Amino acid sequence: DAKTTQPPSMDCAEGRAANLPCNHSTISGNEYVYWYRQIHSQGPQYIIHGLKNNETNEMASLIITEDRKSSTLILPHATLRDTAVYYCIVRVANSGGYQKVTFGTGTKLQVIP
Amino acid sequence: GAVVSQHPSWVICKSGTSVKIECRSLDFQATTMFWYRQFPKQSLMLMATSNEGSKATYEQGVEKDKFLINHASLTLSTLTVTSAHPEDSSFYICSASDRTGETQYFGPGTRLLVL
């Protein structure tokens, strides 16, 4: 799996958009970009993933650059409950589900009232 | 999304005893599940890959005789910490892929405290 680089921490005002960057310059053509978050003392929660196109779901938007070397997770209206460690992961997605997920250190997002 | 549960959510035990943690995929079948361990203020570290009907694959540095994994059915994997010691105190988390294999879903975690 390609290595990712994320800032260790970020602050965001409540109600504003939180933009979390991730660099993955060594990503391979068949690797997806995944985002998870871990709220304190809980298991990681899946947020979103994508291959090359931008993606949006009820939780967030994922913007992937054209060269796929970096991406940004956008939480459009951050709330205090979005305070968590956010992990950007790149991995191959296959039908067998055998591909393990390797976690980096992530970005600790603090949403401020 | 798919739901993964763990039981118990927390456990306290005496040093030298064994503790079993269950991981269940509630609404899907998972031929492969993964076990992670997380120490305070650290990231998740993969311990082993649990394969239904076969032996688990352990990551380097993880003692297979200490952390016994059984994946007897497509919805249940168990991790047994044998002869637990205080240094085994940690947050244990399992995960499983859904049918498409594209996404892994994680359980809520089990906090183990060995006294």
Side-chain angles (χ1 to χ4, degrees), chain B residues 8-50:
Chain B
S9 56
W10 60 271
V11 57
I12 302 173
C13 69
K14 293 182 178 179
S15 184
T17 61
S18 295
V19 175
K20 180 185 286 187
I21 302 170
E22 294 185 348
C23 175
R24 294 182 184 273
S25 54
L26 296 186
D27 50 0
F28 66 103
Q29 293 182 335
T31 55
T32 303
M33 292 183 174
F34 302 89
W35 286 96
Y36 293 80
R37 179 169 54 181
Q38 185 177 34
F39 292 107
K41 298 189 178 182
Q42 294 185 22
S43 189
L44 284 77
M45 294 297 295
L46 180 67
M47 298 176 66
T49 302
S50 172

Side-chain angles (χ1 to χ4, degrees), chain B residues 55-73:
Chain B
K55 292 182 179 180
T57 304
Y58 292 82
E59 295 298 302
Q60 191 172 9
V62 178
E63 299 176 57
K64 62 179 181 180
D65 294 330
K66 181 169 183 62
F67 298 100
L68 301 180
I69 291 173
N70 185 283
H71 194 156
S73 78

